Amino acid sequence: MTSLLAGMHSTEFRNPEKESRRFRGRLMVALGVVVVAFGVLAARFAYLQILRHDYYHTRAEDNRIALVPIAPTRGLILDRNGVVLARNYSAYTLEITPSKAPDLEALIDELATLVDIQPKDRRRFRRLMEETRNFESLPIRNRLTDEEVARFVANRYRFPGVEVKARLFRQYPQGTLASHVLGYIGRVTDRDLARIETEEQSANYRGTEVFGKSGLEQKYEFVLHGETGYEEVEVDAGGRAARSLARSPARQGTDLVLTLDLKLQEVAEKAFGERRGALVAIDPGSGGILAMVSMPGFDPNLFVDGIDPASWDALNNSPDRPMINRALNGAYPPGSTFKPFMALGALEQGKRTPQQAISDPGFFWFGGHKFRDDKVGGHGLVDMYASIVHSCDTYYYTLGHDMGIDNIARFMAQFGFGSPTGVDLEGESRGVLPSSAWKLKRFRQKWYAGETISVAIGQGYNAYTPMQLAHAVATLASGGVVYRPHLVQQVGSGRDGERVAVKSGPARSIGLDARNVEVIRRAMVGVNKEGTGARAFAGVPYSVAGKTGTAQVVAMKQNEKYVESRVRQEHRDHALYIAFAPAEAPRIALAVLVENGGFGARSAAPIARQMLDYYLLGKLTDAPAREIRVPEDEPVAPRGADNDEAPGVRDD
Amino acid sequence: MISAFVYRLTRGLDGPLLIIVGLLMAAGLAAVFSATLDAPARFKGQLLNMAVAYGVMWMVAQIRPPALARFALPLYVVGVLLLVAVALFGDVSKGARRWLHVGFTRIQPSEIMKIAVPLMLAWYFQQREATLRLRDYGVAALLLAVPVVLIVRQPDLGTAMLVLAAGFYVIFLAGLSWRVMFALAVTAGASLPLVWTLLHDYQRRRVLTLLDPASDPLGAGYHIIQSTIAVGSGGALGKGWLHGTQTHLEFIPERHTDFILAVFAEEFGLVGSLLLLLLYLALIVRGLMIASNAPTMFTRLLAGSVTLIFFTYAFVNIGMVSGVLPVVGVPLPFISYGGTALVTLFLGVGILLSINRHRMLVPK
């Protein structure tokens, strides 16, 4: 500095040459800086546009292209005659994306001025928000009216993050009818997501919001669902779709055609009226389920767009337990409906001949205990036919003793007692087929011969689902050919050009002696002609084999709450009835159970009669099957034997 | 007829400089057209802006440098007064007080200072030419500091920096000793922490965001991230004019103004970007040549600093868009949409043209 300044000081005169040179020097320095700076920029461009090009190209494409899933239309569910049980309809919903709304409550309040929003809608919305963690839009109102849609659309600019969407909703046009068969759908939860994950369906469920929660909707979820389509959409920075680039359409879900006959189902449910219970009717020639009832039912439509908490509580807290599928998950002692199987077992195992008769004194002494028959004084001379027709306990007390528990269990297992039938529904109970091995495993105790006595009349540890009982009846009706019970006859209705019949060939044949089966069949026909079922089947124009039963044991765990007014009814016996018809060439086999219905002959058999009349004759009766009054002379025995171990049994 | 008109418009003006500026304008029009495809009125507006700016340039080019020098002091004084007025009565917009209402319209006085400051300093050095001492540099620094501080306080860091740079170029070209500059640089470096505490939150955030854009991908970092994606995805040859996806799907913010280079680089690729850099380099070289040949202290300093202002604009803007410098509101010279900036820039070009044209006519 000093030299420069000194230079300037020393000369009072300008030195243009020197000055100009210095100025040019400075310009050269500046130019050098400029060149270096531009060099840096050029290097930066080369770096971004050549070296990192692939990375930024991908980033730009990710920015640009969004894959929008197109949710497929869920498959329909049809009965065997093509009656629609589950379908879809399109409706407008008002949806909020919570992540885009800073103040949800205020937003909903504001929306409520345009669109009717009830407190229950708000509650449901809150529940949905708790259930879903991802930042998707959630419905605040479903099924908007056209007027509401118009009102909202006119004010849309005021509500960022709120949109009207057209969505397909599941609908069950039959209401509560066959509700336990159909089940219901609900929004996908974390548990469902886990299931989707294990089924490797995650990609296919990207646009899906509902999932089958029970019944066929659950079992056939991945069939009904269909294939999600995708639309490649070019989106702008605001996430708005600018244009569609490519589209692979969704493939609608496959329809299900059931073996179920909805009319028959309706007859059955009407016949139950207000009573609780279950019924399963099976085509013995195929295993196809013609009707499956669990009463009371529920309205699956309630669940479609998220059930409101009040209805949910009502369904769950009802002492009638409408959400339990009794046909599949209720395990009941079969009572006297077990006897035809016992008799058949005796014939097959050579323990009895049809003609072999006992003299029934009205009780059976065993191990210091007196097992009583329900008819005071006994039935007199009883052969196999009479034992079934009149439901003689004493005959089976001795028979059970002669056969032994493990022979009984071995024989009964062939009919599917004590194991899941394999019906195409989830969560089937296996029931209890008692045996010495079972008891050892279950209670770590040896089997007592006295316990066999009550098992022989369908009591004791015996506990079967109505599905198992109906399956066993169907197997008996087909002469020992075991078909897997099933609800779905055909996957695909032909509507979508795809139709796959579900194979239901005989899984196996038990190998029963046809003559033995004939003995039982004849005796069961006798039941309805001259025995315990005669009153219910008076004047029947077709031949029908049947057996009544009554079970005292409370099979289902009832709500523990003590409700005084209900106690008496709840402690009443369960009424049972099994049947198949026409007896010589069965087209239908069924098992009916009326909880706390009293005698099987009185409350269960009339339901069966209505079903069979409708199915075989096409006769429709509108009135619920009335209870038949049982005359005084019918057995009204004191409960059970003196034996405390065996639950008391009384036979019709 | 047309050629006569063109002749009138260009007579006596420096050919190479006009051609370079013309090419830059053409590139700018192409980019603005693409960036404003959804709002064609903007493109027409820009054409008008260019016509007006060219007219200003042409008129300035006719003025002799001594006449220009006469503007220096009044323009500077008026500018500073206006800045004071802004500080007292200015409009607040986006948290900054930058605009001043003057009856029919509102103006941004800081814009004036971009030309007024180098003009003033060049004029001052011209006055002190015969007896230039260190004290004169101090006075010049003071003349520079007054408007810079006023602009910083608005706050408008970008403009303040540009004005500071313009003034510094004059002082630097006037021959400030290296030692003093070195001492200043050290002092400046040491005072950085102090400056940091004086910065507004948004200014600090911009600096931090530059260091790590991903730290705020939806906020301040969004600009840088999206513009670097645009630049990088352009590749060697670009996506083609009007085919930039980042541009047309509106991922690039401010795409027709400060971030227009992202549009250009996305659609024309590395080749386009380098050509643009070469054009700017050519402009600067030509400007420095004019400065080098200028006959007086005033014209030399003025031409040199105006040229280096062009460089500053280009460097700061390109550096920002490509993610090397923080986001500062500086337009890309001759390319970005916007009338004010164009007029200022063409004023500068007009000054260069005037200096070049009249170099022989100035008596020694």
Side-chain angles (χ1 to χ4, degrees), chain A residues 1 8 14 24 26 44-45 48-49 53 63-64 236-237, chain B residues 129 132 172 176 180 226 231-232 246 249-250 265 270 292 322:
Chain A
M1 179 172 81
M8 280 153 68
R14 292 171 58 202
R24 287 190 178 134
R26 288 284 160 114
R44 174 72 177 169
F45 277 101
L48 291 177
Q49 298 189 300
H53 171 65
N63 262 347
R64 180 171 81 94
D236 66 17
Chain B
E129 190 187 14
L132 202 56
F172 167 75
L176 180 61
V180 176
Q226 293 301 340
V231 172
Q246 289 283 102
L249 297 170
E250 301 175 18
L270 183 63
S292 170
S322 59

PDB file of all heavy atoms in Angstrom, chain A residues 1 8 14 24 26 44-45 48-49 53 63-64 236-237, chain B residues 129 132 172 176 180 226 231-232 246 249-250 265 270 292 322:
ATOM      1  N   MET A   1       0.814  -1.189   0.000  1.00  0.00           N
ATOM      2  CA  MET A   1       0.000   0.000   0.000  1.00  0.00           C
ATOM      3  C   MET A   1       0.865   1.263   0.000  1.00  0.00           C
ATOM      4  O   MET A   1       0.641   2.169  -0.788  1.00  0.00           O
ATOM      5  CB  MET A   1      -0.913   0.001   1.230  1.00  0.00           C
ATOM      6  CG  MET A   1      -1.785   1.237   1.313  1.00  0.00           C
ATOM      7  SD  MET A   1      -2.990   1.085   2.628  1.00  0.00           S
ATOM      8  CE  MET A   1      -1.994   1.522   4.023  1.00  0.00           C
ATOM      9  N   MET A   8       1.644   7.793  -5.664  1.00  0.00           N
ATOM     10  CA  MET A   8       0.682   8.816  -5.989  1.00  0.00           C
ATOM     11  C   MET A   8       1.055  10.151  -5.337  1.00  0.00           C
ATOM     12  O   MET A   8       0.831  11.206  -5.884  1.00  0.00           O
ATOM     13  CB  MET A   8      -0.715   8.374  -5.536  1.00  0.00           C
ATOM     14  CG  MET A   8      -1.342   7.397  -6.527  1.00  0.00           C
ATOM     15  SD  MET A   8      -2.512   6.286  -5.781  1.00  0.00           S
ATOM     16  CE  MET A   8      -3.791   7.385  -5.340  1.00  0.00           C
ATOM     17  N   ARG A  14      -0.469  13.522 -13.243  1.00  0.00           N
ATOM     18  CA  ARG A  14      -1.049  12.216 -13.577  1.00  0.00           C
ATOM     19  C   ARG A  14      -0.110  11.476 -14.515  1.00  0.00           C
ATOM     20  O   ARG A  14       0.564  12.072 -15.342  1.00  0.00           O
ATOM     21  CB  ARG A  14      -2.393  12.408 -14.267  1.00  0.00           C
ATOM     22  CG  ARG A  14      -3.444  12.962 -13.336  1.00  0.00           C
ATOM     23  CD  ARG A  14      -4.661  13.317 -14.144  1.00  0.00           C
ATOM     24  NE  ARG A  14      -5.188  12.176 -14.878  1.00  0.00           N
ATOM     25  CZ  ARG A  14      -5.944  12.279 -15.942  1.00  0.00           C
ATOM     26  NH1 ARG A  14      -6.246  13.461 -16.413  1.00  0.00           N
ATOM     27  NH2 ARG A  14      -6.406  11.224 -16.557  1.00  0.00           N
ATOM     28  N   ARG A  24      -6.036  -1.706 -16.069  1.00  0.00           N
ATOM     29  CA  ARG A  24      -6.173  -2.946 -16.864  1.00  0.00           C
ATOM     30  C   ARG A  24      -5.814  -4.159 -16.036  1.00  0.00           C
ATOM     31  O   ARG A  24      -6.413  -5.221 -16.167  1.00  0.00           O
ATOM     32  CB  ARG A  24      -5.303  -2.868 -18.118  1.00  0.00           C
ATOM     33  CG  ARG A  24      -5.936  -1.910 -19.109  1.00  0.00           C
ATOM     34  CD  ARG A  24      -5.291  -1.938 -20.467  1.00  0.00           C
ATOM     35  NE  ARG A  24      -6.015  -1.019 -21.335  1.00  0.00           N
ATOM     36  CZ  ARG A  24      -5.433  -0.143 -22.143  1.00  0.00           C
ATOM     37  NH1 ARG A  24      -4.126  -0.083 -22.215  1.00  0.00           N
ATOM     38  NH2 ARG A  24      -6.155   0.641 -22.892  1.00  0.00           N
ATOM     39  N   ARG A  26      -6.303  -4.444 -12.880  1.00  0.00           N
ATOM     40  CA  ARG A  26      -7.475  -4.736 -12.047  1.00  0.00           C
ATOM     41  C   ARG A  26      -8.567  -5.447 -12.859  1.00  0.00           C
ATOM     42  O   ARG A  26      -9.227  -6.359 -12.383  1.00  0.00           O
ATOM     43  CB  ARG A  26      -8.033  -3.439 -11.455  1.00  0.00           C
ATOM     44  CG  ARG A  26      -7.151  -2.841 -10.363  1.00  0.00           C
ATOM     45  CD  ARG A  26      -7.317  -3.633  -9.090  1.00  0.00           C
ATOM     46  NE  ARG A  26      -6.218  -3.451  -8.165  1.00  0.00           N
ATOM     47  CZ  ARG A  26      -6.332  -2.859  -6.967  1.00  0.00           C
ATOM     48  NH1 ARG A  26      -7.498  -2.385  -6.573  1.00  0.00           N
ATOM     49  NH2 ARG A  26      -5.297  -2.753  -6.187  1.00  0.00           N
ATOM     50  N   ARG A  44     -20.634 -27.235 -11.607  1.00  0.00           N
ATOM     51  CA  ARG A  44     -21.854 -27.596 -10.881  1.00  0.00           C
ATOM     52  C   ARG A  44     -22.911 -28.140 -11.843  1.00  0.00           C
ATOM     53  O   ARG A  44     -23.582 -29.142 -11.559  1.00  0.00           O
ATOM     54  CB  ARG A  44     -22.376 -26.356 -10.149  1.00  0.00           C
ATOM     55  CG  ARG A  44     -23.707 -26.532  -9.472  1.00  0.00           C
ATOM     56  CD  ARG A  44     -23.611 -27.407  -8.236  1.00  0.00           C
ATOM     57  NE  ARG A  44     -24.895 -27.513  -7.551  1.00  0.00           N
ATOM     58  CZ  ARG A  44     -25.158 -28.370  -6.586  1.00  0.00           C
ATOM     59  NH1 ARG A  44     -24.220 -29.196  -6.164  1.00  0.00           N
ATOM     60  NH2 ARG A  44     -26.331 -28.406  -6.015  1.00  0.00           N
ATOM     61  N   PHE A  45     -23.049 -27.477 -12.991  1.00  0.00           N
ATOM     62  CA  PHE A  45     -24.024 -27.966 -13.972  1.00  0.00           C
ATOM     63  C   PHE A  45     -23.644 -29.349 -14.479  1.00  0.00           C
ATOM     64  O   PHE A  45     -24.499 -30.223 -14.630  1.00  0.00           O
ATOM     65  CB  PHE A  45     -24.176 -26.982 -15.133  1.00  0.00           C
ATOM     66  CG  PHE A  45     -25.123 -25.864 -14.817  1.00  0.00           C
ATOM     67  CD1 PHE A  45     -24.669 -24.617 -14.459  1.00  0.00           C
ATOM     68  CD2 PHE A  45     -26.493 -26.092 -14.850  1.00  0.00           C
ATOM     69  CE1 PHE A  45     -25.552 -23.599 -14.149  1.00  0.00           C
ATOM     70  CE2 PHE A  45     -27.387 -25.083 -14.544  1.00  0.00           C
ATOM     71  CZ  PHE A  45     -26.916 -23.832 -14.187  1.00  0.00           C
ATOM     72  N   LEU A  48     -24.567 -31.802 -11.792  1.00  0.00           N
ATOM     73  CA  LEU A  48     -26.010 -32.066 -11.676  1.00  0.00           C
ATOM     74  C   LEU A  48     -26.556 -32.766 -12.904  1.00  0.00           C
ATOM     75  O   LEU A  48     -27.353 -33.697 -12.798  1.00  0.00           O
ATOM     76  CB  LEU A  48     -26.773 -30.748 -11.472  1.00  0.00           C
ATOM     77  CG  LEU A  48     -26.607 -30.004 -10.147  1.00  0.00           C
ATOM     78  CD1 LEU A  48     -27.385 -28.697 -10.182  1.00  0.00           C
ATOM     79  CD2 LEU A  48     -27.094 -30.870  -8.986  1.00  0.00           C
ATOM     80  N   GLN A  49     -26.120 -32.308 -14.075  1.00  0.00           N
ATOM     81  CA  GLN A  49     -26.799 -32.748 -15.289  1.00  0.00           C
ATOM     82  C   GLN A  49     -26.167 -33.984 -15.927  1.00  0.00           C
ATOM     83  O   GLN A  49     -26.792 -34.623 -16.751  1.00  0.00           O
ATOM     84  CB  GLN A  49     -26.848 -31.594 -16.301  1.00  0.00           C
ATOM     85  CG  GLN A  49     -27.650 -30.426 -15.735  1.00  0.00           C
ATOM     86  CD  GLN A  49     -27.929 -29.352 -16.746  1.00  0.00           C
ATOM     87  OE1 GLN A  49     -27.010 -28.765 -17.292  1.00  0.00           O
ATOM     88  NE2 GLN A  49     -29.201 -29.096 -17.005  1.00  0.00           N
ATOM     89  N   HIS A  53     -27.438 -37.090 -13.061  1.00  0.00           N
ATOM     90  CA  HIS A  53     -28.631 -37.014 -13.906  1.00  0.00           C
ATOM     91  C   HIS A  53     -29.640 -38.119 -13.589  1.00  0.00           C
ATOM     92  O   HIS A  53     -30.832 -37.866 -13.453  1.00  0.00           O
ATOM     93  CB  HIS A  53     -28.242 -37.073 -15.377  1.00  0.00           C
ATOM     94  CG  HIS A  53     -29.431 -37.217 -16.280  1.00  0.00           C
ATOM     95  ND1 HIS A  53     -30.397 -36.242 -16.393  1.00  0.00           N
ATOM     96  CD2 HIS A  53     -29.849 -38.242 -17.068  1.00  0.00           C
ATOM     97  CE1 HIS A  53     -31.350 -36.655 -17.226  1.00  0.00           C
ATOM     98  NE2 HIS A  53     -31.038 -37.850 -17.642  1.00  0.00           N
ATOM     99  N   ASN A  63     -41.807 -37.163  -8.879  1.00  0.00           N
ATOM    100  CA  ASN A  63     -42.616 -35.958  -8.705  1.00  0.00           C
ATOM    101  C   ASN A  63     -43.829 -36.013  -9.601  1.00  0.00           C
ATOM    102  O   ASN A  63     -44.926 -35.678  -9.218  1.00  0.00           O
ATOM    103  CB  ASN A  63     -41.810 -34.733  -9.163  1.00  0.00           C
ATOM    104  CG  ASN A  63     -41.167 -34.024  -8.005  1.00  0.00           C
ATOM    105  OD1 ASN A  63     -41.497 -34.291  -6.860  1.00  0.00           O
ATOM    106  ND2 ASN A  63     -40.264 -33.125  -8.310  1.00  0.00           N
ATOM    107  N   ARG A  64     -43.559 -36.445 -10.806  1.00  0.00           N
ATOM    108  CA  ARG A  64     -44.495 -36.250 -11.897  1.00  0.00           C
ATOM    109  C   ARG A  64     -45.582 -37.314 -11.912  1.00  0.00           C
ATOM    110  O   ARG A  64     -46.734 -37.035 -12.188  1.00  0.00           O
ATOM    111  CB  ARG A  64     -43.697 -36.311 -13.202  1.00  0.00           C
ATOM    112  CG  ARG A  64     -44.471 -36.133 -14.464  1.00  0.00           C
ATOM    113  CD  ARG A  64     -43.498 -35.994 -15.611  1.00  0.00           C
ATOM    114  NE  ARG A  64     -43.018 -37.279 -16.066  1.00  0.00           N
ATOM    115  CZ  ARG A  64     -43.574 -37.956 -17.066  1.00  0.00           C
ATOM    116  NH1 ARG A  64     -44.594 -37.478 -17.693  1.00  0.00           N
ATOM    117  NH2 ARG A  64     -43.076 -39.121 -17.440  1.00  0.00           N
ATOM    118  N   ASP A 236     -49.414 -32.467 -10.807  1.00  0.00           N
ATOM    119  CA  ASP A 236     -48.637 -31.245 -10.664  1.00  0.00           C
ATOM    120  C   ASP A 236     -48.226 -31.074  -9.206  1.00  0.00           C
ATOM    121  O   ASP A 236     -48.506 -31.923  -8.370  1.00  0.00           O
ATOM    122  CB  ASP A 236     -49.403 -30.037 -11.195  1.00  0.00           C
ATOM    123  CG  ASP A 236     -50.643 -29.740 -10.376  1.00  0.00           C
ATOM    124  OD1 ASP A 236     -50.742 -30.247  -9.248  1.00  0.00           O
ATOM    125  OD2 ASP A 236     -51.515 -29.024 -10.882  1.00  0.00           O
ATOM    126  N   ALA A 237     -47.546 -29.963  -8.936  1.00  0.00           N
ATOM    127  CA  ALA A 237     -46.989 -29.767  -7.605  1.00  0.00           C
ATOM    128  C   ALA A 237     -48.082 -29.744  -6.545  1.00  0.00           C
ATOM    129  O   ALA A 237     -47.842 -30.060  -5.392  1.00  0.00           O
ATOM    130  CB  ALA A 237     -46.183 -28.475  -7.552  1.00  0.00           C
TER     131      ALA A 237
ATOM    132  N   GLU B 129      -9.618  12.461  -8.961  1.00  0.00           N
ATOM    133  CA  GLU B 129      -8.642  11.733  -9.785  1.00  0.00           C
ATOM    134  C   GLU B 129      -7.219  12.241  -9.592  1.00  0.00           C
ATOM    135  O   GLU B 129      -6.290  11.470  -9.389  1.00  0.00           O
ATOM    136  CB  GLU B 129      -9.035  11.840 -11.256  1.00  0.00           C
ATOM    137  CG  GLU B 129      -8.225  10.937 -12.151  1.00  0.00           C
ATOM    138  CD  GLU B 129      -8.541  11.211 -13.612  1.00  0.00           C
ATOM    139  OE1 GLU B 129      -9.168  12.241 -13.924  1.00  0.00           O
ATOM    140  OE2 GLU B 129      -8.149  10.385 -14.446  1.00  0.00           O
ATOM    141  N   LEU B 132      -5.665  11.410  -5.662  1.00  0.00           N
ATOM    142  CA  LEU B 132      -6.335  10.271  -5.040  1.00  0.00           C
ATOM    143  C   LEU B 132      -5.556   9.773  -3.836  1.00  0.00           C
ATOM    144  O   LEU B 132      -4.391   9.431  -3.933  1.00  0.00           O
ATOM    145  CB  LEU B 132      -6.475   9.149  -6.092  1.00  0.00           C
ATOM    146  CG  LEU B 132      -7.561   8.131  -5.820  1.00  0.00           C
ATOM    147  CD1 LEU B 132      -8.923   8.804  -5.654  1.00  0.00           C
ATOM    148  CD2 LEU B 132      -7.601   7.133  -6.957  1.00  0.00           C
ATOM    149  N   PHE B 172     -12.698  -0.946  -6.064  1.00  0.00           N
ATOM    150  CA  PHE B 172     -11.650  -1.908  -6.426  1.00  0.00           C
ATOM    151  C   PHE B 172     -10.946  -1.488  -7.714  1.00  0.00           C
ATOM    152  O   PHE B 172      -9.711  -1.457  -7.794  1.00  0.00           O
ATOM    153  CB  PHE B 172     -12.272  -3.297  -6.597  1.00  0.00           C
ATOM    154  CG  PHE B 172     -11.385  -4.307  -7.265  1.00  0.00           C
ATOM    155  CD1 PHE B 172     -10.318  -4.877  -6.571  1.00  0.00           C
ATOM    156  CD2 PHE B 172     -11.603  -4.693  -8.592  1.00  0.00           C
ATOM    157  CE1 PHE B 172      -9.500  -5.806  -7.193  1.00  0.00           C
ATOM    158  CE2 PHE B 172     -10.773  -5.614  -9.208  1.00  0.00           C
ATOM    159  CZ  PHE B 172      -9.731  -6.179  -8.503  1.00  0.00           C
ATOM    160  N   LEU B 176      -7.932   0.562  -5.067  1.00  0.00           N
ATOM    161  CA  LEU B 176      -7.715   0.385  -3.639  1.00  0.00           C
ATOM    162  C   LEU B 176      -6.648  -0.672  -3.405  1.00  0.00           C
ATOM    163  O   LEU B 176      -6.678  -1.735  -4.023  1.00  0.00           O
ATOM    164  CB  LEU B 176      -9.022  -0.022  -2.954  1.00  0.00           C
ATOM    165  CG  LEU B 176      -8.934  -0.250  -1.456  1.00  0.00           C
ATOM    166  CD1 LEU B 176      -8.486   1.032  -0.733  1.00  0.00           C
ATOM    167  CD2 LEU B 176     -10.265  -0.719  -0.898  1.00  0.00           C
ATOM    168  N   VAL B 180      -5.197  -3.068   1.975  1.00  0.00           N
ATOM    169  CA  VAL B 180      -6.416  -2.581   2.624  1.00  0.00           C
ATOM    170  C   VAL B 180      -7.552  -3.582   2.411  1.00  0.00           C
ATOM    171  O   VAL B 180      -8.298  -3.922   3.331  1.00  0.00           O
ATOM    172  CB  VAL B 180      -6.809  -1.196   2.075  1.00  0.00           C
ATOM    173  CG1 VAL B 180      -8.135  -0.745   2.683  1.00  0.00           C
ATOM    174  CG2 VAL B 180      -5.711  -0.193   2.363  1.00  0.00           C
ATOM    175  N   GLN B 226     -36.421 -28.499  -5.565  1.00  0.00           N
ATOM    176  CA  GLN B 226     -37.126 -28.638  -6.828  1.00  0.00           C
ATOM    177  C   GLN B 226     -36.321 -28.054  -7.986  1.00  0.00           C
ATOM    178  O   GLN B 226     -36.349 -28.584  -9.090  1.00  0.00           O
ATOM    179  CB  GLN B 226     -38.504 -27.979  -6.748  1.00  0.00           C
ATOM    180  CG  GLN B 226     -39.464 -28.693  -5.799  1.00  0.00           C
ATOM    181  CD  GLN B 226     -39.720 -30.139  -6.172  1.00  0.00           C
ATOM    182  OE1 GLN B 226     -39.498 -30.563  -7.304  1.00  0.00           O
ATOM    183  NE2 GLN B 226     -40.171 -30.930  -5.221  1.00  0.00           N
ATOM    184  N   VAL B 231     -32.866 -28.937 -12.785  1.00  0.00           N
ATOM    185  CA  VAL B 231     -31.590 -28.811 -13.494  1.00  0.00           C
ATOM    186  C   VAL B 231     -31.009 -30.199 -13.776  1.00  0.00           C
ATOM    187  O   VAL B 231     -30.684 -30.538 -14.914  1.00  0.00           O
ATOM    188  CB  VAL B 231     -30.598 -27.962 -12.660  1.00  0.00           C
ATOM    189  CG1 VAL B 231     -29.214 -27.987 -13.298  1.00  0.00           C
ATOM    190  CG2 VAL B 231     -31.097 -26.533 -12.527  1.00  0.00           C
ATOM    191  N   GLY B 232     -30.929 -31.016 -12.734  1.00  0.00           N
ATOM    192  CA  GLY B 232     -30.307 -32.336 -12.870  1.00  0.00           C
ATOM    193  C   GLY B 232     -31.059 -33.228 -13.836  1.00  0.00           C
ATOM    194  O   GLY B 232     -30.458 -33.954 -14.630  1.00  0.00           O
ATOM    195  N   GLN B 246     -40.835 -30.579 -14.678  1.00  0.00           N
ATOM    196  CA  GLN B 246     -40.792 -29.804 -13.441  1.00  0.00           C
ATOM    197  C   GLN B 246     -41.397 -28.418 -13.670  1.00  0.00           C
ATOM    198  O   GLN B 246     -42.061 -27.868 -12.813  1.00  0.00           O
ATOM    199  CB  GLN B 246     -39.339 -29.640 -12.978  1.00  0.00           C
ATOM    200  CG  GLN B 246     -38.711 -30.903 -12.451  1.00  0.00           C
ATOM    201  CD  GLN B 246     -39.186 -31.204 -11.048  1.00  0.00           C
ATOM    202  OE1 GLN B 246     -40.038 -32.053 -10.849  1.00  0.00           O
ATOM    203  NE2 GLN B 246     -38.662 -30.498 -10.068  1.00  0.00           N
ATOM    204  N   LEU B 249     -45.447 -28.826 -14.687  1.00  0.00           N
ATOM    205  CA  LEU B 249     -46.300 -29.329 -13.621  1.00  0.00           C
ATOM    206  C   LEU B 249     -46.150 -28.466 -12.376  1.00  0.00           C
ATOM    207  O   LEU B 249     -46.578 -28.841 -11.300  1.00  0.00           O
ATOM    208  CB  LEU B 249     -45.985 -30.794 -13.346  1.00  0.00           C
ATOM    209  CG  LEU B 249     -46.269 -31.680 -14.557  1.00  0.00           C
ATOM    210  CD1 LEU B 249     -45.715 -33.067 -14.343  1.00  0.00           C
ATOM    211  CD2 LEU B 249     -47.755 -31.749 -14.836  1.00  0.00           C
ATOM    212  N   GLU B 250     -45.509 -27.319 -12.565  1.00  0.00           N
ATOM    213  CA  GLU B 250     -45.475 -26.287 -11.529  1.00  0.00           C
ATOM    214  C   GLU B 250     -44.693 -26.692 -10.278  1.00  0.00           C
ATOM    215  O   GLU B 250     -44.983 -26.243  -9.185  1.00  0.00           O
ATOM    216  CB  GLU B 250     -46.894 -25.864 -11.138  1.00  0.00           C
ATOM    217  CG  GLU B 250     -47.663 -25.321 -12.334  1.00  0.00           C
ATOM    218  CD  GLU B 250     -49.118 -25.011 -12.002  1.00  0.00           C
ATOM    219  OE1 GLU B 250     -49.429 -24.889 -10.815  1.00  0.00           O
ATOM    220  OE2 GLU B 250     -49.908 -24.898 -12.936  1.00  0.00           O
ATOM    221  N   ALA B 265     -32.492 -24.755 -17.882  1.00  0.00           N
ATOM    222  CA  ALA B 265     -31.580 -25.897 -17.763  1.00  0.00           C
ATOM    223  C   ALA B 265     -32.314 -27.218 -17.909  1.00  0.00           C
ATOM    224  O   ALA B 265     -31.764 -28.196 -18.407  1.00  0.00           O
ATOM    225  CB  ALA B 265     -30.860 -25.856 -16.415  1.00  0.00           C
ATOM    226  N   LEU B 270     -27.384 -29.531 -20.249  1.00  0.00           N
ATOM    227  CA  LEU B 270     -26.051 -29.007 -19.979  1.00  0.00           C
ATOM    228  C   LEU B 270     -25.559 -28.142 -21.143  1.00  0.00           C
ATOM    229  O   LEU B 270     -24.934 -27.099 -20.937  1.00  0.00           O
ATOM    230  CB  LEU B 270     -25.070 -30.165 -19.737  1.00  0.00           C
ATOM    231  CG  LEU B 270     -23.646 -29.756 -19.374  1.00  0.00           C
ATOM    232  CD1 LEU B 270     -23.632 -28.996 -18.064  1.00  0.00           C
ATOM    233  CD2 LEU B 270     -22.732 -30.966 -19.297  1.00  0.00           C
ATOM    234  N   SER B 292     -11.854  -1.068 -20.576  1.00  0.00           N
ATOM    235  CA  SER B 292     -10.412  -0.959 -20.792  1.00  0.00           C
ATOM    236  C   SER B 292     -10.082   0.147 -21.781  1.00  0.00           C
ATOM    237  O   SER B 292      -9.070   0.838 -21.648  1.00  0.00           O
ATOM    238  CB  SER B 292      -9.889  -2.314 -21.279  1.00  0.00           C
ATOM    239  OG  SER B 292      -8.570  -2.194 -21.706  1.00  0.00           O
ATOM    240  N   SER B 322     -28.774 -23.399  -8.937  1.00  0.00           N
ATOM    241  CA  SER B 322     -28.106 -24.700  -8.974  1.00  0.00           C
ATOM    242  C   SER B 322     -27.697 -25.158  -7.587  1.00  0.00           C
ATOM    243  O   SER B 322     -27.039 -26.179  -7.446  1.00  0.00           O
ATOM    244  CB  SER B 322     -26.881 -24.632  -9.905  1.00  0.00           C
ATOM    245  OG  SER B 322     -25.991 -23.644  -9.433  1.00  0.00           O
TER     246      SER B 322
END
